[in-house]
Amino acid sequence: VAEAAAAARELLMRSVANTVGLEDAMDAIWQVLLSSNGSVILCGESGTGKSLLVEACASCTPHVRGSLATLVHCYLGESERALAALFSE
């Protein structure tokens, strides 16, 4: 897990390396994500780079694709099974 985290951090840092001041912010956010429950609240004025940070973080995480229509079932327990199957793939 530590190796994967280090690789993801390096990719994240390379993706934002050309943005002035963003590297220090990414270091701080990365430390918070690793040491906490994985939640960070970004607040600030418009144009301060919140969306850029989120996009950089999202580019380093795996994405799960699925259709809501295939997940929602009318029988008890079927939706949970479909959701579990989606994440186990």
Side-chain angles (χ1 to χ4, degrees):
V1 174
E3 292 174 8
R9 182 185 178 282
E10 182 62 31
L11 178 64
L12 185 61
M13 294 306 293
R14 275 188 275 134
S15 69
V16 297
N18 294 330
T19 306
V20 176
L22 197 53
E23 188 171 336
D24 294 333
M26 287 310 307
D27 277 333
I29 289 176
W30 193 255
Q31 292 304 317
V32 169
L33 288 173
L34 290 178
S35 64
S36 69
N37 64 356
S39 298
V40 175
I41 296 176
L42 301 175
C43 61
E45 296 179 14
S46 297
T48 57
K50 297 178 300 291
S51 296
L52 181 62
L53 287 172
V54 171
E55 288 174 10
C57 290
S59 69
C60 295
T61 59
H63 292 80
V64 177
R65 292 186 182 254
S67 170
L68 186 59
T70 62
L71 295 177
V72 178
H73 298 281
C74 62
Y75 297 109
L76 184 65
E78 289 298 316
S79 298
E80 291 82 1
R81 281 190 205 95
L83 188 61
L86 177 68
F87 282 101
S88 67
E89 293 177 351

PDB file of all heavy atoms in Angstrom, residues 29-49:
ATOM      1  N   ILE A  29      -1.974  18.530   1.389  1.00  0.00           N
ATOM      2  CA  ILE A  29      -3.207  17.760   1.218  1.00  0.00           C
ATOM      3  C   ILE A  29      -2.915  16.264   1.222  1.00  0.00           C
ATOM      4  O   ILE A  29      -3.653  15.480   1.813  1.00  0.00           O
ATOM      5  CB  ILE A  29      -3.947  18.194  -0.058  1.00  0.00           C
ATOM      6  CG1 ILE A  29      -4.534  19.585   0.162  1.00  0.00           C
ATOM      7  CG2 ILE A  29      -5.032  17.205  -0.434  1.00  0.00           C
ATOM      8  CD1 ILE A  29      -5.206  20.157  -1.037  1.00  0.00           C
ATOM      9  N   TRP A  30      -1.821  15.871   0.591  1.00  0.00           N
ATOM     10  CA  TRP A  30      -1.475  14.455   0.550  1.00  0.00           C
ATOM     11  C   TRP A  30      -1.225  13.917   1.961  1.00  0.00           C
ATOM     12  O   TRP A  30      -1.659  12.820   2.305  1.00  0.00           O
ATOM     13  CB  TRP A  30      -0.258  14.245  -0.342  1.00  0.00           C
ATOM     14  CG  TRP A  30      -0.061  12.809  -0.672  1.00  0.00           C
ATOM     15  CD1 TRP A  30       0.869  11.983  -0.159  1.00  0.00           C
ATOM     16  CD2 TRP A  30      -0.838  12.013  -1.568  1.00  0.00           C
ATOM     17  NE1 TRP A  30       0.727  10.725  -0.677  1.00  0.00           N
ATOM     18  CE2 TRP A  30      -0.308  10.718  -1.543  1.00  0.00           C
ATOM     19  CE3 TRP A  30      -1.928  12.279  -2.387  1.00  0.00           C
ATOM     20  CZ2 TRP A  30      -0.827   9.690  -2.307  1.00  0.00           C
ATOM     21  CZ3 TRP A  30      -2.440  11.250  -3.143  1.00  0.00           C
ATOM     22  CH2 TRP A  30      -1.891   9.982  -3.100  1.00  0.00           C
ATOM     23  N   GLN A  31      -0.548  14.697   2.800  1.00  0.00           N
ATOM     24  CA  GLN A  31      -0.300  14.278   4.179  1.00  0.00           C
ATOM     25  C   GLN A  31      -1.603  14.141   4.961  1.00  0.00           C
ATOM     26  O   GLN A  31      -1.777  13.212   5.743  1.00  0.00           O
ATOM     27  CB  GLN A  31       0.645  15.263   4.877  1.00  0.00           C
ATOM     28  CG  GLN A  31       2.056  15.235   4.333  1.00  0.00           C
ATOM     29  CD  GLN A  31       2.676  13.854   4.382  1.00  0.00           C
ATOM     30  OE1 GLN A  31       2.546  13.138   5.362  1.00  0.00           O
ATOM     31  NE2 GLN A  31       3.336  13.465   3.298  1.00  0.00           N
ATOM     32  N   VAL A  32      -2.531  15.062   4.754  1.00  0.00           N
ATOM     33  CA  VAL A  32      -3.825  14.984   5.440  1.00  0.00           C
ATOM     34  C   VAL A  32      -4.588  13.752   4.983  1.00  0.00           C
ATOM     35  O   VAL A  32      -5.167  13.027   5.796  1.00  0.00           O
ATOM     36  CB  VAL A  32      -4.656  16.264   5.185  1.00  0.00           C
ATOM     37  CG1 VAL A  32      -6.082  16.088   5.661  1.00  0.00           C
ATOM     38  CG2 VAL A  32      -4.005  17.447   5.864  1.00  0.00           C
ATOM     39  N   LEU A  33      -4.585  13.479   3.693  1.00  0.00           N
ATOM     40  CA  LEU A  33      -5.310  12.314   3.179  1.00  0.00           C
ATOM     41  C   LEU A  33      -4.734  11.010   3.709  1.00  0.00           C
ATOM     42  O   LEU A  33      -5.473  10.080   4.005  1.00  0.00           O
ATOM     43  CB  LEU A  33      -5.298  12.312   1.655  1.00  0.00           C
ATOM     44  CG  LEU A  33      -6.168  13.358   0.978  1.00  0.00           C
ATOM     45  CD1 LEU A  33      -5.922  13.357  -0.517  1.00  0.00           C
ATOM     46  CD2 LEU A  33      -7.630  13.120   1.282  1.00  0.00           C
ATOM     47  N   LEU A  34      -3.420  10.933   3.834  1.00  0.00           N
ATOM     48  CA  LEU A  34      -2.799   9.709   4.322  1.00  0.00           C
ATOM     49  C   LEU A  34      -2.978   9.518   5.826  1.00  0.00           C
ATOM     50  O   LEU A  34      -3.019   8.398   6.310  1.00  0.00           O
ATOM     51  CB  LEU A  34      -1.303   9.695   3.979  1.00  0.00           C
ATOM     52  CG  LEU A  34      -0.972   9.535   2.503  1.00  0.00           C
ATOM     53  CD1 LEU A  34       0.534   9.590   2.304  1.00  0.00           C
ATOM     54  CD2 LEU A  34      -1.531   8.241   1.955  1.00  0.00           C
ATOM     55  N   SER A  35      -3.092  10.611   6.565  1.00  0.00           N
ATOM     56  CA  SER A  35      -3.149  10.505   8.022  1.00  0.00           C
ATOM     57  C   SER A  35      -4.570  10.551   8.576  1.00  0.00           C
ATOM     58  O   SER A  35      -4.761  10.326   9.757  1.00  0.00           O
ATOM     59  CB  SER A  35      -2.327  11.623   8.656  1.00  0.00           C
ATOM     60  OG  SER A  35      -2.896  12.878   8.352  1.00  0.00           O
ATOM     61  N   SER A  36      -5.561  10.832   7.774  1.00  0.00           N
ATOM     62  CA  SER A  36      -6.925  10.960   8.274  1.00  0.00           C
ATOM     63  C   SER A  36      -7.823   9.914   7.627  1.00  0.00           C
ATOM     64  O   SER A  36      -7.364   8.942   7.065  1.00  0.00           O
ATOM     65  CB  SER A  36      -7.453  12.365   7.994  1.00  0.00           C
ATOM     66  OG  SER A  36      -7.651  12.543   6.614  1.00  0.00           O
ATOM     67  N   ASN A  37      -9.097  10.151   7.671  1.00  0.00           N
ATOM     68  CA  ASN A  37     -10.059   9.227   7.075  1.00  0.00           C
ATOM     69  C   ASN A  37     -10.205   9.422   5.573  1.00  0.00           C
ATOM     70  O   ASN A  37     -11.080   8.840   4.961  1.00  0.00           O
ATOM     71  CB  ASN A  37     -11.422   9.373   7.753  1.00  0.00           C
ATOM     72  CG  ASN A  37     -12.042  10.739   7.539  1.00  0.00           C
ATOM     73  OD1 ASN A  37     -11.432  11.625   6.948  1.00  0.00           O
ATOM     74  ND2 ASN A  37     -13.244  10.911   8.023  1.00  0.00           N
ATOM     75  N   GLY A  38      -9.386  10.263   4.981  1.00  0.00           N
ATOM     76  CA  GLY A  38      -9.432  10.477   3.547  1.00  0.00           C
ATOM     77  C   GLY A  38     -10.346  11.591   3.108  1.00  0.00           C
ATOM     78  O   GLY A  38     -10.679  11.693   1.947  1.00  0.00           O
ATOM     79  N   SER A  39     -10.744  12.447   4.040  1.00  0.00           N
ATOM     80  CA  SER A  39     -11.644  13.552   3.706  1.00  0.00           C
ATOM     81  C   SER A  39     -10.936  14.883   3.884  1.00  0.00           C
ATOM     82  O   SER A  39     -10.244  15.088   4.871  1.00  0.00           O
ATOM     83  CB  SER A  39     -12.875  13.536   4.616  1.00  0.00           C
ATOM     84  OG  SER A  39     -13.592  12.350   4.439  1.00  0.00           O
ATOM     85  N   VAL A  40     -11.135  15.761   2.926  1.00  0.00           N
ATOM     86  CA  VAL A  40     -10.570  17.103   2.983  1.00  0.00           C
ATOM     87  C   VAL A  40     -11.634  18.064   2.481  1.00  0.00           C
ATOM     88  O   VAL A  40     -12.295  17.801   1.489  1.00  0.00           O
ATOM     89  CB  VAL A  40      -9.306  17.239   2.096  1.00  0.00           C
ATOM     90  CG1 VAL A  40      -8.811  18.659   2.062  1.00  0.00           C
ATOM     91  CG2 VAL A  40      -8.216  16.304   2.573  1.00  0.00           C
ATOM     92  N   ILE A  41     -11.807  19.170   3.188  1.00  0.00           N
ATOM     93  CA  ILE A  41     -12.718  20.225   2.740  1.00  0.00           C
ATOM     94  C   ILE A  41     -11.868  21.382   2.239  1.00  0.00           C
ATOM     95  O   ILE A  41     -11.024  21.898   2.967  1.00  0.00           O
ATOM     96  CB  ILE A  41     -13.645  20.697   3.872  1.00  0.00           C
ATOM     97  CG1 ILE A  41     -14.558  19.558   4.304  1.00  0.00           C
ATOM     98  CG2 ILE A  41     -14.458  21.902   3.431  1.00  0.00           C
ATOM     99  CD1 ILE A  41     -15.440  19.891   5.473  1.00  0.00           C
ATOM    100  N   LEU A  42     -12.075  21.760   0.998  1.00  0.00           N
ATOM    101  CA  LEU A  42     -11.355  22.886   0.412  1.00  0.00           C
ATOM    102  C   LEU A  42     -12.280  24.095   0.403  1.00  0.00           C
ATOM    103  O   LEU A  42     -13.392  24.025  -0.102  1.00  0.00           O
ATOM    104  CB  LEU A  42     -10.919  22.556  -1.014  1.00  0.00           C
ATOM    105  CG  LEU A  42     -10.013  21.344  -1.179  1.00  0.00           C
ATOM    106  CD1 LEU A  42      -9.770  21.075  -2.650  1.00  0.00           C
ATOM    107  CD2 LEU A  42      -8.703  21.556  -0.449  1.00  0.00           C
ATOM    108  N   CYS A  43     -11.813  25.197   0.966  1.00  0.00           N
ATOM    109  CA  CYS A  43     -12.616  26.418   0.953  1.00  0.00           C
ATOM    110  C   CYS A  43     -11.711  27.583   0.594  1.00  0.00           C
ATOM    111  O   CYS A  43     -10.515  27.548   0.827  1.00  0.00           O
ATOM    112  CB  CYS A  43     -13.302  26.640   2.300  1.00  0.00           C
ATOM    113  SG  CYS A  43     -12.170  26.824   3.660  1.00  0.00           S
ATOM    114  N   GLY A  44     -12.285  28.585   0.004  1.00  0.00           N
ATOM    115  CA  GLY A  44     -11.523  29.760  -0.383  1.00  0.00           C
ATOM    116  C   GLY A  44     -12.251  30.534  -1.461  1.00  0.00           C
ATOM    117  O   GLY A  44     -13.300  30.126  -1.949  1.00  0.00           O
ATOM    118  N   GLU A  45     -11.650  31.636  -1.805  1.00  0.00           N
ATOM    119  CA  GLU A  45     -12.246  32.496  -2.822  1.00  0.00           C
ATOM    120  C   GLU A  45     -12.113  31.871  -4.196  1.00  0.00           C
ATOM    121  O   GLU A  45     -11.323  30.951  -4.410  1.00  0.00           O
ATOM    122  CB  GLU A  45     -11.551  33.854  -2.801  1.00  0.00           C
ATOM    123  CG  GLU A  45     -11.745  34.609  -1.499  1.00  0.00           C
ATOM    124  CD  GLU A  45     -11.030  35.939  -1.511  1.00  0.00           C
ATOM    125  OE1 GLU A  45     -10.607  36.388  -2.589  1.00  0.00           O
ATOM    126  OE2 GLU A  45     -10.909  36.531  -0.433  1.00  0.00           O
ATOM    127  N   SER A  46     -12.873  32.389  -5.124  1.00  0.00           N
ATOM    128  CA  SER A  46     -12.802  31.928  -6.507  1.00  0.00           C
ATOM    129  C   SER A  46     -11.416  32.181  -7.072  1.00  0.00           C
ATOM    130  O   SER A  46     -10.794  33.197  -6.788  1.00  0.00           O
ATOM    131  CB  SER A  46     -13.833  32.662  -7.361  1.00  0.00           C
ATOM    132  OG  SER A  46     -15.128  32.380  -6.911  1.00  0.00           O
ATOM    133  N   GLY A  47     -10.942  31.225  -7.865  1.00  0.00           N
ATOM    134  CA  GLY A  47      -9.658  31.394  -8.539  1.00  0.00           C
ATOM    135  C   GLY A  47      -8.449  31.032  -7.700  1.00  0.00           C
ATOM    136  O   GLY A  47      -7.322  31.361  -8.065  1.00  0.00           O
ATOM    137  N   THR A  48      -8.648  30.349  -6.574  1.00  0.00           N
ATOM    138  CA  THR A  48      -7.508  30.005  -5.725  1.00  0.00           C
ATOM    139  C   THR A  48      -6.968  28.606  -5.974  1.00  0.00           C
ATOM    140  O   THR A  48      -6.025  28.195  -5.321  1.00  0.00           O
ATOM    141  CB  THR A  48      -7.876  30.150  -4.230  1.00  0.00           C
ATOM    142  OG1 THR A  48      -9.013  29.331  -3.955  1.00  0.00           O
ATOM    143  CG2 THR A  48      -8.177  31.590  -3.893  1.00  0.00           C
ATOM    144  N   GLY A  49      -7.562  27.845  -6.895  1.00  0.00           N
ATOM    145  CA  GLY A  49      -7.022  26.551  -7.295  1.00  0.00           C
ATOM    146  C   GLY A  49      -7.686  25.343  -6.666  1.00  0.00           C
ATOM    147  O   GLY A  49      -7.141  24.242  -6.728  1.00  0.00           O
TER     148      GLY A  49
END
